[in-house]
Amino acid sequence: MTLTKLTLLSSALFLATLSQSAQANSKAITETELTAAQQAWGKALIAISDAYANGGREQAEQKARAVLDAAYGYNLGPVLFKPTLASGEQTFRTTYEGALAYFVGGNNTFANDSGFALKGWQGYEFTNAAVHMNGDLALTMGHVKLTNKDGSVTTVDKTWGFKKDEKGDLRIVLHHSSLPYSTN
């Protein structure tokens, strides 16, 4: 092979690598997008609570379905979902129906679920302890404080994984939530 052909081949490979890198970077999650997604989750939880207060479980379920469709990545595969108040064989919810049951109850397959989103949530605040971003995937870990209609605050430990889908929308693909450890 001649030097000219090697140079052309090397240049073509270099340009292909740059093109792939540019495409990957255009899908990279930004801090602004991540913060917006976390804020949107809190607003969505409150919207489900409001729908329940104003129209009952049926309206809450409609709102919860819209939230799951818009925020979670069930279209990308199983979502690694471990809700706060789940235990036993139903601790992990990798299916859409399992997540829906957790948020609004009413599913005999998940008879222990009373609907976490139906608890009258009125306020939401999150604090990230750390964020790890790697291209189209971002992981967060920290606290979420939820305020109910009586002003009581519940703090949960929360780990989220967000992935950009083919349209560039952030989708939750990991949602782990638990109550903080207590010696009591």
Side-chain angles (χ1 to χ4, degrees), residues 160-181:
W160 271 311
F162 295 91
K163 183 158 180 65
K164 270 195 181 177
D165 66 13
E166 65 282 348
K167 295 179 183 174
D169 296 325
L170 288 192
R171 299 294 187 154
I172 298 169
V173 295
L174 165 67
H175 173 156
H176 181 280
S177 185
S178 58
L179 294 173
Y181 173 74

Side-chain angles (χ1 to χ4, degrees), residues 57-95:
R57 207 187 78 66
E58 187 175 317
Q59 282 191 16
E61 182 176 330
Q62 288 175 2
K63 179 58 87 176
R65 283 184 183 279
V67 168
L68 287 171
D69 291 343
Y72 285 78
Y74 288 100
N75 60 324
L76 302 174
V79 171
L80 310 177
F81 182 25
K82 190 284 179 194
T84 311
L85 303 176
S87 63
E89 291 181 19
Q90 297 182 335
T91 298
F92 303 108
R93 308 296 176 86
T94 59
T95 67

Side-chain angles (χ1 to χ4, degrees), residues 122-134:
Q122 301 293 308
Y124 167 80
E125 177 185 335
F126 73 92
T127 305
N128 290 324
V131 173
H132 176 88
M133 294 173 40
N134 185 0

